[in-house]
Amino acid sequence: IITAPSERVLAGTTRAILLQLMGEARLPVQLRCPRLDEITQASEAFITGSIKGVVPVVAVGELPVGSGAVGPVTARVAELLRDNLIRWTE
């Protein structure tokens, strides 16, 4: 998983929660800006937000990302958020 460092993106609450959960789940995360060629070669991609949670990205403009379907890492990250959200809402 590659994500831009906090000084380059909106350091939102959902993103912070997911970074913690991905660390706890031992999912490898690189804090750096993804290169454009990596985006078009990625097997999957997602964005996060406080309202929608984890949103799969299946295309960037006209270019499909991976197979154009939700990938297993995106599904796992969404599951982590869904299963652990109660920790931050109590």
Side-chain angles (χ1 to χ4, degrees):
I1 300 169
I2 300 170
T3 185
S6 295
E7 59 270 8
R8 298 294 304 267
V9 295
L10 178 62
T13 303
T14 302
R15 181 177 188 271
I17 290 169
L18 281 170
L19 286 172
Q20 180 177 336
L21 291 172
M22 290 184 292
E24 291 171 4
R26 299 192 193 285
L27 292 173
V29 176
Q30 295 180 33
L31 294 175
R32 64 175 179 81
C33 293
R35 298 184 320 267
L36 184 57
D37 66 309
E38 289 177 315
I39 294 169
T40 59
Q41 294 177 19
S43 58
E44 57 185 293
F46 61 88
I47 58 175
T48 64
S50 59
I51 301 298
K52 298 234 180 199
V54 178
V55 180
V57 175
V58 296
V60 176
E62 302 273 331
L63 301 171
V65 174
S67 66
V70 179
V73 174
T74 301
R76 175 70 175 126
V77 171
E79 176 185 47
L80 284 170
L81 181 62
R82 185 177 54 252
D83 291 351
N84 289 280
L85 199 53
I86 195 72
R87 290 169 53 185
W88 286 272
T89 57
E90 290 182 327

